[in-house]
Amino acid sequence: MRIPTEHQLIVGAVKSLQALGDVISAELRSSKHWALTEEGAEIAEQGSHEARVFRSVPSEGLAQAELMKLSFGKIGFSKAMSNKWIRLDKAHEGGPRIFRTVESIEDQVREKLLLVQTGSSSELEEKEKNELKKRKLLSEVSYWKGSSFSTTITKQEAELTPEMVASGSWREKKFKPYNFEAMGVAPDCGHLHPLLKVRTQFRQIFLEMGFTEMPTNNFIESSFWNFDSLFQPQQHPARDQHDTFFLADPALAHEFPQDYLDRVKRVHSEGGYGSQGYKYDWRIEEAQKNILRTHTTAVSARMLYKLAQQKFTPVKYFSIDRVFRNETLDATHLAEFHQIEGVVADYGLTLGDLMGVLHQFFTKLGITKLRFKPAYNPYTEPSMEVFSYHEGLKKWVEVGNSGVFRPEMLLPMGLPEDVSVIAWGLSLERPTMIKYGINNIRELVGHKVNLQMVYDSPICRLDS
């Protein structure tokens, strides 16, 4: 039977009746009357998100940033990409741009919803209905009379009053059942996000290992400290706008230690300290560009330079803070995330010392399944990627990067030649995912986070 009333109004009325006791019974069924949700009705009228995205892309293409401003942009983009209706050109001049890959499309999602809207849902297969239900475009509900069904609604009493007893009216009243095992009302309070809980544990581990926390309160960094001071060449692809967020205002930094800047320029363009350098024309204009820092190693570079300006003493530094990269979002990558970094400066440190510290560090986290893979970094040699086995994803996941800082980075700062610096960096999000059994990083950070998960997540106790 079809009821010519909005679905949400019926659902609201059903829930109100259920709250009165056994007036009616209701349960969700998988093979009864199907109705469009509010979002489904919108798509039936205007077309699916992916079709609207396709129609929004002209023949000359559309900038990805412009598409994402549309209300249907994010959802429609991913669906249209999976349907191979559009393609993304990341290397396009002027930024990533979206182009059509087909001349025309058939909006099957809208056609299926229109069948449901006109009462012809029987023409759809169960698989098709379930797919629409999974996208929250369809829903279903059935009702039948309860044991206390009535055509009138009588308010149930919550309390037995002296007046009811004195007058005897309690005999005619209906009372809500008492739940003597109910808990009291929980007071409203804030709850720590799992990231903050794990961050606290990371910080405690570093402090237990004798590390000192570095100041990391500058999200904006110059390209000089973020790249050049780390012996990263100015033509490196990581410095491209497709990987880094550049600032428009203020676009440039102007204050640098001049002697140090000259030594960095020389080691890049001419070589030195036993290195032949990169042999290119190093430009101060490139080093001045302000960016959202891509790693907290920029902070480590500042701290090591400060250390080199005084009599050297061995140090152990750490930091845990936010970094930014122009990444494509997926189950394990975000454009904004937290980086954990550890730095140890002492005489004669080797790769063996680095591996030992990493094993000690990750064991305190309760992560014992580790693998090391040789890697390349412009500012460390040798370099290693650190992998941990993720029980939820059933595969090895990269959790960090590490290495020994190169002489071309350390000696221009003024550090003694026999001083070595070992360092490692890892994200805060991925160890948190491993600890809490989360398979998709977007369920941990971002607008899709279930706030109930934040409320219910237990205190972090790492299995040290």
Side-chain angles (χ1 to χ4, degrees):
M1 179 183 69
R2 292 183 53 81
I3 303 175
T5 308
E6 289 188 22
H7 172 72
Q8 293 300 327
L9 293 177
I10 296 177
V11 172
V14 169
K15 291 186 179 295
S16 298
L17 291 171
Q18 283 181 299
L20 299 176
D22 294 330
V23 176
I24 68 167
S25 298
E27 72 175 23
L28 292 174
R29 294 275 179 93
S30 58
S31 59
K32 292 294 181 181
H33 172 66
W34 293 88
L36 302 188
T37 63
E38 184 177 347
E39 183 180 1
E42 178 187 343
I43 288 178
E45 179 182 352
Q46 302 180 17
S48 65
H49 299 305
E50 52 267 38
R52 292 162 72 182
V53 163
F54 179 82
R55 292 196 298 268
S56 300
V57 178
S59 57
E60 66 272 14
L62 179 68
Q64 185 183 19
E66 292 299 319
L67 178 65
M68 292 306 166
K69 293 179 182 179
L70 303 176
S71 60
F72 51 83
K74 291 184 179 180
I75 299 175
F77 172 73
S78 61
K79 293 289 184 183
M81 286 287 287
S82 63
N83 289 342
K84 298 182 179 180
W85 293 349
I86 59 174
R87 64 180 177 86
L88 175 63
D89 184 0
K90 289 188 175 181
H92 192 276
E93 183 178 356
R97 198 167 185 85
I98 298 169
F99 295 92
R100 292 185 177 186
T101 58
V102 294
E103 292 295 328
S104 61
I105 61 168
E106 182 180 353
D107 193 355
Q108 295 184 353
V109 173
R110 185 190 183 197
E111 292 175 0
K112 293 173 184 177
L113 292 177
L114 288 173
L115 285 175
V116 176
Q117 194 175 49
T118 55
S120 303
S121 60
S122 58
E123 297 182 21
L124 297 179
E125 297 180 1
E126 286 300 317
K127 181 180 179 181
E128 294 175 317
K129 296 176 184 177
N130 290 330
E131 287 176 356
L132 295 174
K133 183 179 179 182
K134 187 177 180 180
R135 289 185 62 174
K136 298 182 179 179
L137 306 179
L138 287 185
S139 62
E140 56 180 340
V141 66
S142 299
Y143 338 95
W144 58 89
K145 294 180 181 180
S147 57
S148 302
F149 178 78
S150 172
T151 55
T152 60
I153 298 176
T154 304
K155 182 179 178 181
Q156 292 179 311
E157 300 293 339
E159 296 182 8
L160 178 65
T161 65
E163 291 78 15
M164 293 179 187
V165 175
S167 64
S169 62
W170 62 270
R171 295 184 178 90
E172 309 298 328
K173 301 287 185 182
K174 291 186 177 181
F175 291 88
K176 290 184 178 180
Y178 282 95
N179 182 3
F180 295 101
E181 298 180 358
M183 301 292 291
V185 178
D188 292 332
C189 60
H191 299 274
L192 290 177
H193 191 279
L195 278 176
L196 295 180
K197 297 176 183 179
V198 178
R199 183 189 185 279
T200 300
Q201 290 293 298
F202 270 106
R203 188 172 183 274
Q204 185 61 35
I205 287 171
F206 273 117
L207 295 175
E208 289 175 359
M209 295 174 67
F211 283 70
T212 301
E213 189 164 11
M214 294 185 284
T216 56
N217 54 346
N218 52 322
F219 289 171
I220 299 173
E221 190 58 271
S222 68
S223 293
F224 175 78
W225 287 108
N226 197 86
F227 297 120
D228 295 276
S229 65
L230 304 180
F231 196 56
Q232 191 157 328
Q234 293 185 340
Q235 65 270 26
H236 194 279
R239 301 177 70 152
D240 188 78
Q241 64 178 347
H242 298 309
D243 295 293
T244 301
F245 293 108
F246 288 86
L247 264 68
D249 185 23
L252 302 176
H254 300 283
E255 296 182 6
F256 305 100
Q258 190 60 45
D259 292 344
Y260 176 47
L261 184 142
D262 291 338
R263 292 194 294 271
V264 170
K265 176 181 179 179
R266 190 179 309 115
V267 76
H268 275 252
S269 56
E270 302 174 12
Y273 311 103
S275 170
Q276 65 178 5
Y278 292 114
K279 303 296 183 183
Y280 70 97
D281 184 19
W282 188 91
R283 299 172 61 247
I284 182 64
E285 295 81 6
E286 193 69 28
Q288 286 181 301
K289 292 180 179 179
N290 281 327
I291 63 172
L292 290 178
R293 67 181 180 208
T294 62
H295 48 198
T296 52
T297 314
V299 180
S300 301
R302 286 182 178 270
M303 294 297 291
L304 290 172
Y305 172 75
K306 183 178 178 181
L307 177 67
Q309 307 316 301
Q310 57 198 31
K311 183 178 179 181
F312 177 78
T313 54
V315 295
K316 293 191 287 187
Y317 292 137
F318 83 95
S319 65
I320 307 173
D321 212 337
R322 199 170 303 176
V323 297
F324 309 85
R325 296 182 189 173
N326 197 358
E327 297 265 17
T328 300
L329 305 187
D330 58 30
T332 56
H333 292 86
L334 290 176
E336 175 182 345
F337 57 97
H338 293 78
Q339 181 176 334
I340 304 165
E341 181 151 345
V343 176
V344 180
D346 203 346
Y347 296 100
L349 294 176
T350 66
L351 190 65
D353 294 303
L354 174 60
M355 296 176 72
V357 171
L358 288 172
H359 271 291
Q360 181 186 9
F361 178 78
F362 279 100
T363 299
K364 284 181 173 288
L365 298 178
I367 299 174
T368 56
K369 294 182 179 180
L370 287 183
R371 282 182 180 174
F372 301 101
K373 176 184 176 183
Y376 168 76
N377 291 315
Y379 44 89
T380 58
E381 179 61 40
S383 308
M384 300 185 304
E385 292 176 345
V386 186
F387 289 81
S388 170
Y389 189 75
H390 192 301
E391 297 293 347
L393 295 177
K394 301 298 181 184
K395 67 177 182 178
W396 291 89
V397 177
E398 182 186 354
V399 293
N401 212 320
S402 64
V404 181
F405 282 142
R406 296 176 67 113
E408 297 96 327
M409 171 186 165
L410 301 178
L411 296 181
M413 294 177 175
L415 289 169
E417 291 187 9
D418 53 349
V419 168
S420 298
V421 180
I422 59 176
W424 68 97
L426 41 140
S427 78
L428 178 63
E429 283 77 3
R430 291 187 188 175
T432 304
M433 290 170 65
I434 294 173
K435 182 64 186 175
Y436 284 92
I438 297 173
N439 296 334
N440 192 324
I441 197 169
R442 288 166 289 194
E443 296 175 5
L444 179 68
V445 182
H447 65 285
K448 294 184 179 180
V449 170
N450 182 358
L451 295 181
Q452 190 64 37
M453 178 273 293
V454 177
Y455 182 92
D456 294 335
S457 61
I459 294 174
C460 178
R461 287 290 183 265
L462 300 175
D463 305 321
S464 56

